[in-house]
Amino acid sequence: MGTLDMKVFDTRPKASFLQLFLGTFCMVAIQFTWTVELAYGTPYLLSLDLSKELTACVWLAGPLSGLIVQPLVGAWSDKHTSRLGRRRPFMIGGGIVVCLSLLCVGYSKQITSIITTDSNLSKNLAIAIAVIAFYILDFSLNAVQASCRSLILDIFPIFQQDTANAFASNTQNITNVFGYFIGFIDLVKYIPGLGKSQMEAFCTAGVIVFISSMAVTCFAVNEIPYEKTQDESSEPWYQVFLYIWHAFRQLQSSIQKLCNVIFFAWMGWFPFLFYSTTWVSDIYFDTHEMESPESWDKGARAGSFALLVYAIVAVIAGTVLPTLTAKGFISLKNTYTLSHIISAIALLSTVFVHTVTGATVLLGLMGIPFACAMWIPFALVGEYLVVENKQNLQEQEQDQVVVIDNNNTLNVDNNRGGDVLSEEQGGNSSSRQRALSNNSNMNNHYGATTTIPLSSLTEPSFDLNENDKTKKYDAGMVLGVLNMYVVFPQFLVSFLAAIIFAIVNHIQSQEPSNSKGRKEDTIGVTVVLFFGGLMAVIAAVLSRRIVDVKNKKSKSIIVNL
């Protein structure tokens, strides 16, 4: 364990409460749009007479866009040289496409009626417009989300990454509650100017929310334009793809350990996100007589209510837990582990729950780990990047002091001030205070920082091979790779869930049919949720291996391996 002076690693000023609020307010735009799409997209597509099988294909847009767009946008924005900054051009450009695609989704029928009056052609054209608009919406929204997350890591100092990402997480959680509440309101009745149908009004409201909240952050944030080095200016067009591939294969060990946890955590989250409300509704159908069509509506509302409870709990957890970690009552690492344990307990307990009340309680409990999932990984990445990149910078400065002559003998400029080289804060590279660290393999960047005699650099273990040095990665690239570890589980869960359902249905078909018709559906969903609980257990175990960066009131950083 080593202690590092925080001022050496991050000299950015502390952000005020208002700056934290304005800098993370863009997440309202992201989350409200996701709410419109994920919560109400499927019923709308089915209302256009799109089959359930094809509707499932539409939702492949999510993982595909996350896999492709976020790494690319992250890499491109890292090197973007606009006078507006690195991230805001992508937020603005992507935001325009998001708004247009939202309107195309909500008004697909009206657009079709302008193009043709043929009923059969009109039906198919409306479906085509809606599906294409959904794909464009997913791809553009992922681009904006990648830029917003990178912006948060860019503008706030290391000792406020925890707080800033907690702000972003809580903003998303509150927006979830607001979005679900808006969806329950009869917008056509109370706000007729938004549209003639519920989906039209909801999409119009989404555009208004998106533009207003994104504008707040874009106007409030002052980004410093990026200037490319001579080497970067001469890079070929395909360099960005090599950049992504190199980053994916050679992440810093601290970030790689976090990515391993994220992978298994989302292997548990996607069963919940895909099937939790269906599980609650199926339990309602199993325990209530289907006397009228209204009974089905009540079952659907039971699932929606459980989701609303889950969102409210996430808001409360997203407010309380960051306060506890900020005051030192519990570390981010321990909080993250506990969140996976809670998730595992809730999902594994689904096999014992057979009432709507019990199911609602379990869904509400999942709000706690969800608040942590939207906050802690991004806070940790922000801290890792600042420490890692500053250490790389120090190593490059260190190399400038060391000279190798033709006889492979190591010599040091003795006019630099003895065993400790002087660099004053705020001055140039030769006037600030720094110390030389012995780093023989150039890979262990999180060990203790020590001051050593310059004579020890003459040991044969000191290797100046450029290939051994860790490449500096910016926030956009790392977050893009991080998102890959979220996207891959989505593909796997979809595939494994289909296998689980097939096995359960086969077993059920071999038994006498003496139970209610929907029982086998409930059992299949329960098994999928139980599988998610097992994945959460693995995530909890792996979370004990992540690097913990503890912020102290003395403004030092203690790095635990």
Side-chain angles (χ1 to χ4, degrees), residues 38-199:
L38 298 177
Y40 305 101
T42 298
Y44 177 69
L45 290 173
L46 293 175
S47 72
L48 296 176
D49 289 334
L50 186 67
S51 67
K52 290 184 178 179
E53 292 79 8
L54 291 178
T55 300
C57 294
V58 172
W59 295 124
L60 287 175
L64 285 175
S65 58
L67 183 64
I68 298 170
V69 172
Q70 289 216 20
L72 283 175
V73 169
W76 283 330
S77 65
D78 283 344
K79 309 298 182 184
H80 196 60
T81 57
S82 169
R83 62 184 180 85
L84 293 177
R86 295 191 295 174
R87 316 299 180 185
R88 284 184 295 178
F90 290 88
M91 293 165 62
I92 296 170
I96 293 172
V97 180
V98 167
C99 293
L100 292 176
S101 56
L102 262 180
L103 293 175
C104 287
V105 168
Y107 290 86
S108 59
K109 292 181 179 179
Q110 284 68 22
I111 295 172
T112 301
S113 65
I114 297 173
I115 299 174
T116 180
T117 57
D118 183 274
S119 58
N120 291 329
L121 179 60
S122 177
K123 173 185 172 181
N124 294 329
L125 187 58
I127 291 174
I129 291 174
V131 170
I132 293 172
F134 265 117
Y135 266 83
I136 295 174
L137 175 61
D138 262 344
F139 276 75
S140 56
L141 189 56
N142 266 287
V144 177
Q145 180 172 282
S147 303
C148 289
R149 279 293 185 183
S150 299
L151 181 69
I152 293 172
L153 298 189
D154 288 345
I155 63 178
F156 296 114
I158 183 173
F159 52 89
Q160 284 190 295
Q161 283 297 319
D162 183 3
T163 305
N165 282 281
F167 260 75
S169 172
N170 223 23
T171 298
Q172 290 178 283
N173 294 332
I174 293 172
T175 304
N176 260 339
V177 176
F178 176 70
Y180 294 138
F181 178 73
I182 290 293
F184 283 126
I185 297 176
D186 189 344
L187 295 175
V188 177
K189 178 180 178 180
Y190 294 106
I191 315 178
L194 289 179
K196 296 180 180 180
S197 69
Q198 184 74 357
M199 193 62 180

Side-chain angles (χ1 to χ4, degrees), residues 159-167 317-339 371-372 375-376 379-380 383 548-553:
F159 52 89
Q160 284 190 295
Q161 283 297 319
D162 183 3
T163 305
N165 282 281
F167 260 75
T319 303
V320 174
L321 292 177
T323 303
L324 295 178
T325 59
K327 293 185 177 181
F329 290 111
I330 186 171
S331 68
L332 281 179
K333 180 177 180 177
N334 291 336
T335 305
Y336 200 34
T337 300
L338 286 174
S339 73
C372 295
W375 151 49
I376 294 179
L380 289 173
E383 294 171 349
D548 191 18
V549 181
K550 301 178 181 178
N551 292 331
K552 300 297 183 181
K553 292 182 179 179

Side-chain angles (χ1 to χ4, degrees), residues 401-532:
V401 179
V402 181
V403 179
I404 302 179
D405 61 20
N406 293 331
N407 295 321
N408 292 325
T409 303
L410 233 108
N411 299 311
V412 180
D413 186 354
N414 292 325
N415 296 324
R416 297 265 180 179
D419 288 355
V420 179
L421 306 181
S422 175
E423 289 185 350
E424 295 175 0
Q425 284 287 351
N428 56 38
S429 61
S430 63
S431 63
R432 291 192 302 256
Q433 181 66 36
R434 66 181 173 87
L436 286 176
S437 300
N438 186 13
N439 194 2
S440 58
N441 60 12
M442 304 302 280
N443 289 320
N444 184 12
H445 296 291
Y446 285 95
T449 298
T450 57
T451 302
I452 61 171
L454 293 181
S455 58
S456 67
L457 296 179
T458 59
E459 297 176 1
S461 62
F462 187 79
D463 186 4
L464 290 177
N465 188 345
E466 190 66 22
N467 294 328
D468 290 337
K469 298 187 178 185
T470 302
K471 183 176 178 63
K472 176 182 179 293
Y473 295 113
D474 290 314
M477 182 69 265
V478 173
L479 288 179
V481 173
L482 204 72
N483 191 65
M484 290 182 181
Y485 284 84
V486 176
V487 170
F488 290 145
Q490 189 169 354
F491 284 109
L492 288 174
V493 167
S494 299
F495 177 70
L496 292 173
I499 294 177
I500 291 173
F501 285 133
I503 293 173
V504 171
N505 289 337
H506 176 73
I507 294 174
Q508 290 287 330
S509 66
Q510 304 301 315
E511 298 178 357
S513 180
N514 55 5
S515 59
K516 296 181 181 178
R518 297 191 59 86
K519 275 289 185 182
E520 61 185 46
D521 292 341
T522 306
I523 294 174
V525 170
T526 301
V527 173
V528 172
L529 293 174
F530 186 85
F531 168 79

